[in-house]
Amino acid sequence: MSQAPGAQPSPPSVYHERQRLELCAVHALNNVLQQQLFTQEAADEICKRSLSQLALPQVLGLILNLPSPVSLGLLSLPLRRRHWVALRQVDGVYYNLDSKLRAPEALGDEDGVRTFLAAALAQGLCEVLLVVTKEVEEKGGWLRTD
């Protein structure tokens, strides 16, 4: 069947979730997959489950995006901002290298950094970025296979 002269083809049906709360990562996943496959709860569960599977020796560092309270002196304001924090292992010890700290904070060994990450994730609205070499990324070596 041919179209009438000058008629425009109908646009394809495109799945698109609009922003709700601060769930942009969930919306981005669903938008790329073109259907609602992920919920906030499912995404949170994946993050918690993957935490124990991280091959930390293969990770150069971690960067966390956390909620950060806003205050004026002793007065805490009901506003929330986001803050980026770096974690890194140096000579076998993991450190919190938060730029708001006066000095690096030792987190200890792998168990210590996992405990810190679990606490950060439990606060909610936490994002974790892994910094790895290109080789580790290409091989997926940042996850344990056992």
Side-chain angles (χ1 to χ4, degrees):
M1 181 192 302
S2 64
Q3 291 183 321
Q8 296 290 325
S10 60
S13 175
V14 177
Y15 182 83
H16 178 251
E17 286 184 7
R18 293 198 37 150
Q19 182 71 27
R20 182 177 63 83
L21 302 174
E22 289 191 12
L23 300 175
C24 49
V26 172
H27 299 313
L29 282 169
N30 290 336
N31 288 340
V32 164
L33 298 170
Q34 284 293 284
Q35 59 183 312
Q36 184 180 5
L37 291 177
F38 288 91
T39 62
Q40 177 182 2
E41 294 78 18
D44 289 346
E45 182 56 35
I46 290 168
C47 288
K48 291 173 187 170
R49 185 179 66 228
S50 293
L51 184 59
S52 64
Q53 295 176 330
L54 285 179
L56 287 172
Q58 300 299 317
V59 176
L60 292 176
L62 300 103
I63 299 176
L64 284 63
N65 187 254
L66 304 166
S68 180
V70 177
S71 61
L72 292 172
L74 298 176
L75 179 63
S76 182
L77 301 175
L79 303 171
R80 290 276 185 225
R81 297 184 70 193
R82 309 290 296 167
H83 181 62
W84 294 95
V85 174
L87 306 179
R88 172 75 195 236
Q89 185 260 106
V90 177
D91 294 331
V93 177
Y94 285 88
Y95 291 92
N96 175 355
L97 301 171
D98 185 343
S99 60
K100 290 184 177 181
L101 296 173
R102 289 187 182 269
E105 174 187 41
L107 300 174
D109 59 8
E110 285 189 27
D111 289 338
V113 77
R114 288 181 200 280
T115 300
F116 181 88
L117 288 169
L121 289 168
Q123 290 179 26
L125 302 176
C126 173
E127 297 169 296
V128 179
L129 305 175
L130 302 178
V131 180
V132 298
T133 64
K134 185 175 182 177
E135 179 183 348
V136 168
E137 191 275 327
E138 287 173 350
K139 293 180 181 179
W142 50 271
L143 281 179
R144 287 193 238 176
T145 55
D146 54 309

